[in-house]
Amino acid sequence: MTLRPPRSCPQDSRGETAGVDTGSCRPLTAPNGRHRPAPPRPSPSDPAPRPLTPPPLPQRFLFPPRGRGGMAGGGAGGAASCLGYAGCNFLRQRLVLATLSGRPLKIRKIRAKEEDPGLRDFEASFIRLIDKVTNGSRIEINQTGTSLYYQPGLLYGGSLEHECSPSRSIGYYLEGLLCLAPFMKHPLKIVLRGVTNDQVDPSVDVLKATALPLLKKFGIDGESLEIKINRRGMPPKGGGEIVFSCPVRKVLQPIQFTDPGKIKRIRGTAYSVRVSPQMANRMVESARSILNKFLPDIYIYTDHMKGASSGKSPGFGMCLTAETINGTILSAELASNPQGQGAAVLPEELGQNCAKLLLEEVYRGGCVDSTNQSLALLLMTLGQRDVSKVLLGPLSPYTIEFLRHLRSFFQIMFKIETKTPEEEHMGGEKVLMTCVGVGFSNLSKTIR
């Protein structure tokens, strides 16, 4: 009598038998030592046994975010812990630093107790912009807009266009791009449309005059680094257009920028759109009446745009910059009230107030003006593993919170030394910021 060998029991991935009756896997030897006959095979007319399927996985486990190697779009990799915040404040800081560090981000309770809860249109527009310049980002927003989850992707760059919300100036979006642009895979060239000058955010003129020279000090320079204003747009309707282009860099060089030097010249721009061209000339005369008391080298350009270049709303304003013998650039700006909001402003009054704001910025001093403090600290953090120093004026509340976020995302802390006016022989109190860079490297940069 021939014996059949015992059939093996198929198993699924969990180690359990699947697709067969466990009774058919009994051993062919009885307890008394005699051989047991094999169980009968099912006839073709019998229904097929129903396979056992594992329960479906929860949605969040179906497509886990893949880790990305290297820095500049993945420094921390996929195993990075998710950072959690509550509230809508400093949303740009958190999104930009999450993108650079590669760490996922969860923000809860975004205006949860207000009558109109959730993200505003300008914040949603900034999130769309981040999604455009990255590749593979994962963004989840709940129905009410009060909760945001962001898993950053690879910084990609390339030629892009973006319609900015007229609620905020283009400078709101441009400040974030200035932090991200040097670390793209491809050089960034982006067209931004919206409001170019308002009373809330840094204008395109100020960022062009102050942020671009600051980037050059860290080794980010070249012909392709520029901000070009094609059309001006004033609130509330906007209609402006600018082109921002920036080259990519592998690493940033550390800086020692501790001596601002003395002011040698003042430059500026007085612009007017959809109003009389004389508005710009009146602003220039009133500003010069104050600044000429301190130095003679003052030149303020007048920029009057007509037709399609003038946007959709009337307005005027002024941007002033003071340059020192060591290359420090300090800025101040002022714009008229939007159409239909607030009282009308005389151009003479606006010019004088703008000149006083510039003198106040010079009094604060430092090697970087208050608008670009956070940009300078970020570039110092992302530099090579070497000591960087910069002398700043009094830290703004925005910069103080930015330092806290740098500690959370990059685990870096600055040495802060206060310098009294007696030590510096000029202006108000200064702050000497010192740090060692994290050695950030743009691994996504294309090697040619």
Side-chain angles (χ1 to χ4, degrees), residues 301-317:
Y301 301 88
T302 57
D303 181 14
H304 180 73
M305 289 194 170
K306 304 176 183 177
S309 301
S310 61
K312 301 175 182 177
S313 298
F316 55 89

Side-chain angles (χ1 to χ4, degrees), residues 283-393:
M283 284 188 289
V284 171
E285 291 300 320
S286 61
R288 288 183 68 97
S289 67
I290 292 179
L291 298 175
N292 271 335
K293 300 175 184 176
F294 300 97
L295 75 166
D297 190 0
I298 300 171
Y299 198 92
I300 304 173
Y301 301 88
T302 57
D303 181 14
H304 180 73
M305 289 194 170
K306 304 176 183 177
S309 301
S310 61
K312 301 175 182 177
S313 298
F316 55 89
M318 177 178 273
C319 161
L320 295 175
T321 58
E323 187 177 346
T324 71
I325 55 177
N326 291 341
T328 297
I329 299 179
L330 307 173
S331 66
E333 64 171 337
L334 214 53
S336 61
N337 291 328
Q339 183 183 22
Q341 300 177 23
V345 180
L346 290 174
E348 289 85 3
E349 185 181 347
L350 189 143
Q352 288 183 359
N353 290 338
C354 190
K356 292 175 183 176
L357 285 175
L358 181 66
L359 295 178
E360 187 178 336
E361 189 67 42
V362 171
Y363 176 80
R364 287 199 202 104
C367 297
V368 179
D369 66 343
S370 52
T371 304
N372 296 293
Q373 285 177 350
S374 56
L375 177 61
L377 296 177
L378 175 66
L379 297 177
M380 288 169 64
T381 300
L382 301 180
Q384 300 177 38
R385 295 185 182 276
D386 202 351
V387 177
S388 292
K389 291 184 178 182
V390 69
L391 186 71
L392 302 178

